[in-house]
Each structure stands twice: as structure tokens, then as C-alpha cells.
């Protein structure tokens, strides 16, 4: 029979057809650019250098050395195979007891031993991604809202909102006070929500901050905790960058604040920590997300939900062994902080040499670069134009502040811990050339230099969409709106 | 006057959590889990606790792990932690792309093909990760249905579906009752009826979810039924989700038939089947015995669903350490074939041993050719054909016979008296002990006199069991049975006399 089949459209869910996963945001465009033309020191030295991914690749050697000394940590080695059966078969969502203990211990160590963590409160999740989503599922209903200081991690839009149906209300922070969270701003955001009849269920902090790379001081933490406590709001502290603090001041966890005598009036049932090993230890592939709640009902609920994203027992077993090795952990944390400090210094010095300043920061795997001076005008359009130039011409994938919901144009997050020293220098050289070209007041000189620079440097291999046409033909069409013009 | 606060007094406001956190929709307070708790309190161990509860409520496959261990010993570079494999460490540990390691998705696609005897080819680009089958099932529902929508599900069905398909997604499950009258087969009439009832009640049915091979029945759907179900769903423009996680546990003829084969069937292609409506859930937890590794797979024939599920996989990706190990193992075609053959052989043997043992004491099971369990017919032992009687019998089995089996009611079975017993998660000796306990139990049951008093119960008890539970779990009727001087007319052990 040859009749035509009239196919009905398969009707999918609203989740599948809305854009709330946020993956069509510009934040991901840089990634795509990189994917099309990734830098490689030998194979593709003119490719795009990935500086948009907050990864910590500085200390793999330490872990590799440990692994060689501890073959039992793997269920696949001769020494460890006898554990294989039990481990492969274990699916209890409480997790391996030794894993929970190891995580609790590690969390203590990354907070300088100033607080204790209870292994019974350690709940697994599918990476920090899963942990953030699960905690929202536990605390809020669709339509409820969470306050979030901005600029903030772009994927919060997916992790906190997409399947949960919760809204995010930004608390805007400004460069005028170094992007600090002020009580005034928090109060304002909260009151505006109230006026719009939006039910605020909580506040989520990222401390240390992504993208700022700064830590919250005790005073601010206390003030925020007082605020949430007073209004009976949940306080979720995403502390996944805790061990990336490489400089003073020391990291202060919300767990410490809770133990402070001054804060004994606060309801612990409202406080929850999200943690992960992706940043502190550079193990994003292992998907180790942790929810640590001071609220028993939340621990219980999150644990049930953890079935949707448990950590592979192969990985639990491995980490339990490694993190229970206290000597290793202490040494690792100290060395990791040292290397991060060095890398940070090297990079920010390099930027300063060409007049680019960053927000002063003591943590994170990135810096918050101030490129306001390079904007044609103080608009997000200019920011986007500048960004395209940086990707296409300078060939660095950095992340524009607008993708973090930053309210001021001109800020960019640059990651520096996911590459080796050689690549850092190449990145700095490219930036130097880019700014150097811009700096020479003589336009034609700049154009000449640009030709030279282009000849030395970059072949453009992107789809036109990414490409700002005006920059391509500098001689024939001087562009009054070029982002390069001061 | 209310609220007085002073110093550190605990005048806390009520902490409000989400509805999800406070409803019971996760289903973990169902009796299904009570047996687990009983087991946790008094776990059988051959040496350390020979009178403990034997776990027969967990569908695990522990029969062929030795084959995997041997493979691992021969292939040290499958691990990123061995001397041979460490050079891959940093690349693997740092990889977080939700497409997964290419070698992993390729190996999974190959494996899916092998477990379907090479009758269909699977496309690695359609392989999407999830947090175990648990995560895969939930993710698919998130992609296909909105809160309030419904999915039809043949019952009896896996109790975890209540949590996995409904809890956070907000959808409803509409059971399609299958009964023993036709060996629990799914009839197209029953499906139509369920669908029409939903329409009449203004419930928006988005799809049908099948578990094939079935949990708890251990049976497989035949080609004709699959075709009819596929045609039905296509005609009504609803999704068809096939949970095929037990595909490689088929130990007897007929061979497993995947929905993937049916789609390619010539006859079907002429019937305007919409492939965009068809989705498969797979996992390595049952076939290979790796539940700890959390390898869930969503395989959809619909590109948009693949994309959406892949974005959602961020919430439950497979650890790259595990992806790497499995990529290596499953791309070893020779190993996979040998494993599947041997695993099935051992399952068949175990199934035979167990069902024979049951038959010797007059206990029948539904004839099945797959799964890690059998569907035991204990209707003759019910005092009356009610779920209350089933629960009483179940408590007896847990407390006296000390076997954790799963009562049919926890699977939403429409008929009382059926129990799922898992047999692939224990060794041969334990199987013998379990069978011996059952034998004793049935003997004792057969010795019940007209007054409902068990003869020789003292003897039986002396040989067997000390009760170690808190009274909370203890069925009072059974307690009374201990003292034959107080004949209990309503004991569940009294055989129903016509």
C-alpha cells in the first residue's frame, strides 16, 4: 500500500520546548567557538584558548602520585579487585560510609578545621549541578522565588529554575563598592518581590563567588544570615570554591557562622550547604555533588532524591581512600592554594602590565577583568561587540559579564587554572598585542600593527555569525563604532 | 499572649519546605520497603547470622561478577588508576561534556545491539546518560509530559515507578490491570479501556510505559503484542516508553524482542508508526550487575527528546571513571558475547533450581523466561483472597520464614496472593537454605488441623527460628499461633477450604 503517512507532531513537555535550560545564551557561544577551533600548543597554536571554563588543572600530578602509591583505592587494580563485587553491587543511597566520612573530613579540612561536619548529613547528588537542583526541589514549589546576588553563575538559570519552576530574583551588586552584597540591596530585592506578590523562599549565595573570585567576610555573612533568619527564608550556600582560596582573608563557611555565639538565635533548619569536588580537586568528570543540610527533613528528602544522581560507587570508593588520607589532603590543599596563588599573580600581573585591572580577589579559578575602558560606550551591545572581537581576533574564550547578569557592561570573567604555564603566556601575549594595538593613538599605525598581528597570529575559521564584519576590513571601512576606538 | 522570646529560647517559626519534601509521593513508606528494613535489622549471613532474614526482595544479578573481575585483571588500562591506565587520568577526570566520552556511547550502542542478538543497530548519537535507570525514567517523563498529565502502565509494575515517574514530575500513573486469568498478559482491549476511561475523566494521557522483560512477572512481550501496542500508541499520538533494563536476563526461549526491532519491521512501517513517539530506557544494573555504577541510558528515536534528555543528563551523568572502564569493557566484543552467554546460562540454572525447589512443595510460579526473580503464586495459602490476608501472609514470611520477599500489592497487582522472589543475588548455599525454610514453612502449613492449630509447630520452631524483631514488625496473629492452646480461627495459615 502506498498511502502517505500523515505524521502527527509528537507532543513533548513544556520543559522540552521552552528555552529555560538557558543553553542558547551567549555564555555558551564562546564554548562553541572554542569547540570549532580549539587551541593546541602543537597541533593548533592559533586556535581559541579556552578561558571560559572554570576548571582546576593545576594539581593533577599530586593526585596521580597518590594513586600510584595507593593501588587499593581502585577496584580494578590487583590490590583492589577483591572489593570489586561489593562495590559494584552497592546501591544504597546513603552512600558508602567511608565515603561520607571522607567527605565530611575533607570539608572540615578545607575550612581549616574550624568546624565539624557530620557524615550523617552528607548527601550525594549529580555534581554541584544536581545538588543545586535537588536542594531547590526540597525547599521551594513552582512559582516560588530565590534571591541570588548578581553577577552569578549562568547555569543557575538551568540548575535552579528549569525543572523546578522556581524564579530567580537577582540582588544587584555594583563595582562602586567592589560588587559587595549590601544589606540595602538585599532588602530592596526582597521588598520588591513582596510587592509583586512573589513568594520568596530563600537566598542562595555562592561563596567564594563565581564570577567575582571574592569571599564573603564574617560581617556580611552574619548580616545575611540574620536577614534570612528574620524573614524565615532558607539560606543556601554554594561553597564549591572553598578550597580555591589562595590568599587572605581566610575562607569563612556559613557553618562557622552558625556556631558563632552571636548567631545562636538563628534557626539552623534554614541553612544548607552545597559542595562538590569539581573545583577544589579538579575532578568535574567524577560528578561529586554534595548537599549538606542542617535540617533533618531536608537531609531525608535530598537523600531520597539522590537516587536520581548518585555518585558511582567506583568513584566513591576511590575518593574515600584518597580523602581519608589526611596527610595527603593537608599537603594537597596547601600546594593547590600555592599554585593557584602563583598562577593568579602571574596572570593578573601580565594584565596589569598592559593596563588591564581585575577586581581584587583571593579565590576562585578566574578573575573578574575590567575592560570598561575598551568599550566604545557603556552598553551591553558594546560589551558583546568587544567580546566577539576577543573571541574572533584575540582568540580567547572569555565570558562576558552580561552572561552572569552583571548590570554594568565591560566586565569579563577569565579563567586561568585550566591550562599550563606556556599557554598562559601565549594568552597574555595575545592580550598584550591586542591592547598594544589599541593603545597606539595613531589609527593607521594601529591598522598596520593589526595587519602584522593578524598575519602573525590568527586565521579566522568561524561561521560568519560570530564574526563582526567591520573588523575584517580595517582599511576600506573605518568604522566609527568599532569597539576598538576609545 | 503568644510569642515570647528570651535569650536563646527556641521560638522558631515553622520552617516551610517544598510540597515535594512533605508529601509522601516518593513512596518510600510503602510496605515494599518494610521488608528491606526487616532485612537491615537482621541480615542473614552464612556464618555470622545464619538465622537472619534472607534478602530475596532485591532484584540484583550477582551470578556473573567473577567474569567481569577476570576481564578487569586482564585489562589494566581500563582503569585510570593502574600503572597502565594512569596516563589517561587527567583527561578522564577533567572531562565533563554531557555527550559523554565518545568511546563510551559507542560501546553502549554496541552493547545494546549485542543484547538484542544483533538484530538491530543502535546509534551512539542517540545514547544519552542518566543517573541509573531511576534517572533515565524520570528524565524521559520530564521530556514528554507536564504536571497533571498521565502515563498508562501495565500492572503489576515496579514500585519505584511511583517515585521515579511521578514524584518530581507531577504526572499520574494509570494502571492497566493484568490478571492471572490470562497469565498477566497485556491485552490491547485492557489498554484501550484504560485509555478511554482516562479520556472520559478528562485526564490527558501522554504515553504508555512498558517494562519488557517485565518486573515483577519475569515474562517477555511477544512480537504481536508489541506491534499492537506500538500501533495503538501511534494512532493515538501518545508516547511509548519501553523500559528494557532486563533485556539480557532472558534465559530461555523465546528470544528477547526489543521495540527497536518492531519499529524496523516491514509490516509496521506500512502502518504509519511515528518513531518520534518511541523511547527506550536501558541500564547496566541488571544485565551486568553494576547497580552501584549508576549507568542509566535514555535512547530515543526523537531528536528533540535526545537533545532535551541530554541537557537534563547534567543532573545525573555517569562518572567518567566509570565511563572509561565500561567503554573499554563493552567494546571488547568477544568478552561481551561470552559474558552474555554465560550469564544467561547461570540465570537459567538458578531459575530452574529455585522453581523446581518450589514445585516440590507445591508452590507454583508464573512461567517466565527472564528477570532475576519469579512471580510466586501463594494464593492457596491465603486465608481469603484479600490484600489483608496477603499482608498477614507476608509478615509471616518475613518474621517466621525469614525471607524478604515482595508482596504483589506493592507492585499494584490487582489480585492478592502473588509474591516476587529474587534469586540471583545470593549464592547456591543460601538458595538451599531459603528453599529449606520454605519447605519447612509449607510443611507446617500443611499440618494445620481443622481448628486452625498447627501440629508440630513446636518442632518446627525448635529447628528454625528465633524471632529477633521489635514488636512493631510482628504480626500478633502469628504471635498467638505460637501457643497452640489458643486456636485462632482467623489465622492466615489456615488453608482456604471450599
Amino acid at each position: 500500500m502506498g498511502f502517505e503517512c500523515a505524521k502527527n507532531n509528537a507532543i513533548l513537555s513544556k520543559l522540552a520546548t521552552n528555552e529555560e535550560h538557558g543553553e542558547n545564551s551567549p555564555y555558551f557561544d564562546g564554548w562553541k567557538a572554542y569547540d570549532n577551533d580549539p587551541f593546541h600548543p602543537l597541533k593548533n597554536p592559533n586556535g581559541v584558548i579556552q578561558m571560559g571554563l572554570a576548571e582546576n588543572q593545576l594539581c593533577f600530578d599530586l593526585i596521580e602520585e597518590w594513586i600510584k602509591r595507593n593501588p587499593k583505592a581502585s577496584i580494578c587494580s590487583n590490590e583492589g579487585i577483591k572489593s570489586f563485587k561489593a562495590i559494584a553491587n552497592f546501591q544504597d543511597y546513603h552512600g558508602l560510609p567511608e565515603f561520607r566520612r571522607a567527605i565530611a573530613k575533607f570539608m572540615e579540612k578545607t575550612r581549616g578545621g574550624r568546624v565539624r561536619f557530620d557524615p550523617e548529613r552528607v548527601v550525594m547528588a549529580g555534581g554541584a549541578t544536581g545538588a543545586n537542583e535537588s536542594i531547590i526541589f526540597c525547599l521551594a514549589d513552582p512559582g516560588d522565588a530565590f534571591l541570588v546576588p548578581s553577577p552569578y553563575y549562568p547555569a543557575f538559570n538551568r540548575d535552579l529554575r528549569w525543572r523546578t519552576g522556581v524564579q530567580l530574583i537577582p540582588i544587584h551588586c555594583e563595582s562602586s563598592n567592589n560588587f559587595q552584597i549590601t544589606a540595602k540591596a538585599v532588602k530592596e530585592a526582597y521588598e520588591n518581590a513582596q510587592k509583586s506578590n512573589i513568594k520568596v523562599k530563600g537566598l542562595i549565595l555562592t561563596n567564594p563567588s563565581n564570577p567575582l573570585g571574592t569571599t564573603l567576610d564574617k560581617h556580611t555573612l552574619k548580616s545575611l544570615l540574620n536577614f534570612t533568619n528574620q524573614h524565615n527564608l532558607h539560606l543556601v550556600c554554594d561553597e564549591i570554591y572553598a578550597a580555591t582560596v589562595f590568599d587572605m582573608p581566610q575562607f569563612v563557611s556559613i557553618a562557622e557562622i552558625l556556631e558563632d555565639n552571636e548567631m545562636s538565635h538563628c534557626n539552623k533548619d534554614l541553612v544548607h550547604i552545597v559542595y562538590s569536588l569539581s573545583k577544589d580537586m579538579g575532578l568535574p568528570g567524577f560528578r561529586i555533588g554534595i548537599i549538606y543540610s542542617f535540617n533533618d527533613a531536608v537531609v531525608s528528602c535530598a537523600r531520597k532524591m539522590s537516587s536520581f544522581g548518585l555518585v558511582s560507587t567506583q568513584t566513591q570508593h576511590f575518593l574515600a581512600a584518597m580523602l581519608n588520607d589526611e596527610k595527603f589532603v593537608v599537603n594537597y590543599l596547601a600546594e593547590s592554594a600555592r599554585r593557584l596563588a602563583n598562577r593568579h599573580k602571574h596572570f593578573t600581573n601580565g594584565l596589569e602590565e598592559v593596563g588591564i585591572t581585575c577586581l581584587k580577589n583571593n579565590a576562585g579559578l578566574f578573575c573578574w577583568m575590567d575592560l570598561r575602558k575598551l568599550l566604545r560606550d557603556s552598553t551591553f551591545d558594546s560589551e558583546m561587540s568587544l567580546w566577539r572581537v576577543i573571541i574572533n581576533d584575540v582568540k580567547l574564550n572569555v565570558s562576558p559579564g552580561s552572561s552572569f547578569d552583571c548590570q554594568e557592561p565591560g566586565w569579563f570573567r577569565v579563567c586561568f587554572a585550566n591550562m599550563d604555564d606556556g599557554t598562559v603566556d601565549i594568552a597574555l601575549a595575545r592580550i598584550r598585542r591586542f591592547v598594544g594595538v589599541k593603545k597606539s593613538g595613531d589609527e593607521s599605525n594601529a591598522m598596520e600593527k593589526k595587519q602584522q598581528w593578524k598575519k602573525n597570529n590568527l586565521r579566522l575559521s568561524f561561521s560568519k555569525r560570530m564574526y563582526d564584519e567591520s573588523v575584517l576590513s580595517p582599511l576600506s571601512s573605518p568604522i566609527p563604532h568599532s569597539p576598538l576606538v576609545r | 499572649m503568644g510569642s515570647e522570646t528570651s535569650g536563646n529560647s527556641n521560638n522558631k517559626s515553622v520552617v516551610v519546605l517544598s510540597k515535594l519534601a512533605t508529601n509522601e509521593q516518593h513512596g518510600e513508606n510503602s510496605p515494599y520497603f518494610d521488608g528491606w528494613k526487616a532485612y537491615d535489622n537482621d541480615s542473614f549471613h552464612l556464618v555470622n547470622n545464619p538465622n537472619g532474614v534472607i534478602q530475596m526482595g532485591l532484584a540484583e544479578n550477582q551470578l556473573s561478577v567473577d567474569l567481569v573481575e577476570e576481564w578487569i585483571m586482564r585489562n589494566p588500562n581500563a582503569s585510570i588508576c593502574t600503572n597502565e591506565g594512569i596516563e589517561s587520568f587527567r583527561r578522564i577526570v577533567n572531562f565533563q561534556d554531557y555527550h559523554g566520552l565518545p568511546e563510551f556511547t559507542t560501546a553502549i550502542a554496541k552493547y545494546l545491539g549485542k543484547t538484542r542478538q544483533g538484530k538491530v543497530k543502535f546509534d551512539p548519537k542517540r545514547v544519552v546518560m542518566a543517573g541509573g535507570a531511576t534517572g533515565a525514567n524520570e528524565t524521559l517523563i520530564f521530556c514528554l509530559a507536564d504536571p497533571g498529565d498521565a502515563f498508562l502502565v501495565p500492572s503489576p509494575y515496579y514500585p519505584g515507578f511511583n517515585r521515579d515517574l511521578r514524584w518530581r514530575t507531577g504526572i499520574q500513573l494509570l494502571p492497566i490491570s493484568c490478571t492471572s486469568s490470562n497469565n498477566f498478559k497485556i491485552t490491547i482491549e485492557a489498554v484501550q479501556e484504560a485509555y478511554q476511561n482516562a479520556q472520559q475523566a478528562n485526564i490527558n494521557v501522554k504515553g504508555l510505559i512498558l517494562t519488557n522483560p517485565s518486573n515483577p512477572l519475569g515474562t517477555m512481550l511477544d512480537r504481536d503484542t508489541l506491534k499492537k501496542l506500538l500501533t495503538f500508541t501511534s494512532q493515538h499520538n501518545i508516547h511509548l516508553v519501553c523500559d528494557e533494563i532486563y533485556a539480557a536476563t532472558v534465559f530461555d526461549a523465546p528470544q528477547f524482542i526489543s521495540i527497536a526491532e518492531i519499529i524496523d519491521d516491514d509490516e509496521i512501517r506500512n502502518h504509519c508508526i511515528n518513531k518520534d513517539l518511541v523511547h527506550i530506557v536501558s541500564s547496566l544494573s541488571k544485565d551486568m550487575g553494576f547497580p552501584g555504577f549508576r549507568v542509566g541510558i535514555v535512547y530515543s528515536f526523537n531528536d528533540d527528546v535526545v537533545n532535551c534528555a541530554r541537557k537534563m543528563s547534567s543532573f545525573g551523568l555517569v562518572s567518567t571513571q566509570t565511563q572509561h572502564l565500561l567503554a573499554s569493557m563493552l567494546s571488547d566484543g568477544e568478552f561481551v558475547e561470552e559474558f552474555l552467554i554465560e550469564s544467561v546460562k547461570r540465570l537459567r540454572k538458578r531459575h530452574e533450581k529455585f522453581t523446581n525447589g518450589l514445585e516440590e512443595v507445591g508452590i507454583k510460579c508464573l512461567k517466565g523466561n527472564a528477570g532475576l526473580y519469579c512471580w510466586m503464586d501463594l494464593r492457596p495459602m491465603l486465608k481469603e483472597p484479600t490484600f489483608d490476608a496477603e499482608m498477614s501472609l507476608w509478615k509471616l514470611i518475613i518474621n517466621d520464614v525469614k525471607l524478604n520477599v515482595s508482596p504483589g500489592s506493592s507492585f499494584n497487582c490487582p489480585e492478592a496472593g502473588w509474591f516476587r522472589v529474587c534469586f540471583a543475588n545470593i549464592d547456591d548455599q543460601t538458595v538451599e537454605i531459603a528453599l529449606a525454610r520454605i519447605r519447612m514453612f509449607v510443611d507446617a502449613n500443611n499440618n494445620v488441623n481443622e481448628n486452625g492449630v498447627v501440629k508440630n509447630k513446636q518442632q518446627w520452631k525448635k529447628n528454625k527460628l528465633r524471632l529477633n524483631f521489635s514488636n512493631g514488625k510482628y504480626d500478633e496473629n502469628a504471635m498467638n499461633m505460637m501457643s497452640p492452646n489458643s486456636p485462632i480461627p482467623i489465622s492466615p495459615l489456615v488453608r482456604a477450604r471450599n
Side-chain angles (χ1 to χ4, degrees), chain A residues 437-453:
Chain A
V437 163
K438 193 203 70 53
K439 259 190 166 166
S440 75
D442 181 347
E443 197 178 289
S444 65
N445 194 16
M447 294 308 186
E448 253 176 51
K449 278 198 175 164
K450 193 162 178 30
Q451 294 278 52
Q452 186 61 31
W453 171 58

Side-chain angles (χ1 to χ4, degrees), chain A residues 6-139:
Chain A
K7 280 200 178 163
N8 290 319
N9 282 329
I11 302 160
L12 304 183
S13 66
K14 292 193 177 82
L15 288 180
T17 44
N18 67 26
E19 293 283 308
E20 296 295 317
H21 48 72
E23 286 196 23
N24 296 333
S25 94
Y27 179 62
F28 293 95
D29 283 354
W31 287 37
K32 293 169 194 166
Y34 167 78
D35 283 340
N36 286 342
D37 185 24
F39 169 85
H40 186 280
L42 298 169
K43 298 185 201 154
N44 190 20
N46 291 329
V48 176
I49 298 178
Q50 176 61 281
M51 303 191 85
L53 209 44
E55 289 171 349
N56 185 352
Q57 297 191 31
L58 301 184
C59 294
F60 286 142
D61 55 315
L62 301 179
I63 299 178
E64 287 160 348
E65 274 160 31
W66 185 90
I67 289 174
K68 292 191 182 131
R69 293 194 309 267
N70 295 271
K72 267 173 71 177
S74 163
I75 51 176
C76 295
S77 63
N78 286 329
E79 296 83 345
I81 190 88
K82 58 183 193 277
S83 303
F84 184 85
K85 183 170 173 172
I87 295 296
N89 199 57
F90 183 92
Q91 57 176 325
D92 181 346
Y93 62 24
H94 289 81
L96 293 170
E98 58 270 29
F99 173 72
R100 276 183 294 146
R101 271 199 302 273
I103 292 289
K105 259 182 21 195
F106 186 76
M107 287 175 75
E108 285 171 8
K109 291 232 160 5
T110 52
R111 289 145 182 83
R114 294 182 293 276
V115 265
R116 311 245 51 194
F117 286 90
D118 176 3
E120 299 296 309
R121 293 190 175 284
V122 171
V123 175
M124 292 180 286
T129 301
N132 276 314
E133 190 196 48
S134 278
I135 195 74
I136 297 295
F137 266 129
C138 291
L139 304 179

Side-chain angles (χ1 to χ4, degrees), chain B residues 291-308:
Chain B
F293 289 177
R294 313 313 301 150
V295 181
I297 302 294
V298 172
Y299 188 96
S300 175
F301 294 91
N302 180 321
D303 293 346
D304 291 333
V305 173
V306 168
N307 278 329
C308 183

Side-chain angles (χ1 to χ4, degrees), chain B residues 281-298:
Chain B
V281 166
S282 185
S283 160
L284 296 182
S285 302
K286 310 297 178 181
D287 291 355
M288 296 213 72
F290 296 153
F293 289 177
R294 313 313 301 150
V295 181
I297 302 294
V298 172

